[in-house]
Amino acid sequence: MSFSKIKKSFDDKPDDPPSSLLDLPWCPETVNIVLSSKTNRVISKKSCDDKSDDPPKPGLGSLYTRWGRTTCHTNSSLVYDGVVGGQFFAHFGGGSNLLCLPNDPIWANYTAVGEVGGWIYGSEYQLDLYPTNKLFSFANAESIHDHNVPCAICLTRKPAVVMMLPARNECYTGWTAEYSGYLMSERHSHQGRHEYVCVDYAPEADPAGYRDENGALLYFVQAACGSLPCPPYVNGRELTCVVCSKY
């Protein structure tokens, strides 16, 4: 067999042109590549040492709600602040969760009368059972009983996973505390019910909402021994909480 029959000409074109620089088996100083496309677009003099014009950007962080406050921890930025809304304590139907409602709602189509449907109410702190034993810090409000509850939606400044850890006010090793406080929910004997939320240890009070107008009410949550093991839990003791992030 003659060498001329197996010799590959430098002018021969490959059967399957590379679709990107990553498909090249070598790294020349510069290359001219015709991409396999309808327009045969040419990339000329592309060096393997060239860096991308769009370097990878950090991913977005994680969202969490800071109940009882209008600001976020220094690890996070504020998305918006608002007021807590939920189901009226004596109603049977409606939603079973609490929402952080913004202070600047936008309406679409609406009617001027109240139909028989779903409703959402504001939320109030209920601390009348604790006239002398003040569990909260009152650094941000002298009195919060029957006051409306504010809230803040926070975004961690770096990618993270976030969890609300009940029954502790300190995070486990390797986690960062965003804020800590007390576990609160609706009273056990009320018809309406909603989720357990972690209310900040130094809560604020909405200055416009100081009247006793009820709505979705927030009470401290206490341990009830029985199916809940005691110890480590103690009957009648109020549960703490902490919101933790892992970066």
Side-chain angles (χ1 to χ4, degrees), residues 125 127 130-147 201-207 210:
Y125 301 104
L127 304 182
Y130 299 83
T132 58
N133 189 354
K134 301 184 183 301
L135 304 183
F136 279 131
S137 163
F138 288 88
N140 295 314
E142 293 183 3
S143 174
I144 62 173
H145 175 61
D146 281 337
H147 281 64
Y201 175 68
E204 301 172 46
D206 182 359
Y210 59 89

Side-chain angles (χ1 to χ4, degrees), residues 46 50-55 57:
K46 180 69 176 178
D50 287 351
K51 293 182 172 59
S52 171
D53 295 331
D54 297 310
K57 297 180 176 62

Side-chain angles (χ1 to χ4, degrees), residues 1 3 30 36 53 60 87 111 129 152-153 156 163 180 198 228:
M1 180 182 293
F3 178 75
T30 59
S36 53
D53 295 331
L60 290 176
Q87 184 55 49
T111 63
L129 301 177
I153 300 296
T156 59
M163 70 170 175
S180 62
C198 186
L228 185 69

Side-chain angles (χ1 to χ4, degrees), residues 23 49 54 60 79 104 110 148 161 172 189 194 199 208-209 216:
D23 294 333
D49 293 330
D54 297 310
L60 290 176
V79 179
D104 52 351
Y110 58 88
N148 292 357
V161 290
Y172 289 112
S189 57
H194 52 70
V199 177

Side-chain angles (χ1 to χ4, degrees), residues 82-118:
V83 293
V84 178
Q87 184 55 49
F88 193 78
F89 77 96
H91 288 179
F92 288 98
S96 59
N97 60 322
L98 294 176
L99 298 176
C100 185
L101 299 173
N103 293 318
D104 52 351
I106 298 176
W107 309 101
N109 298 328
Y110 58 88
T111 63
V113 296
E115 282 77 25
V116 180

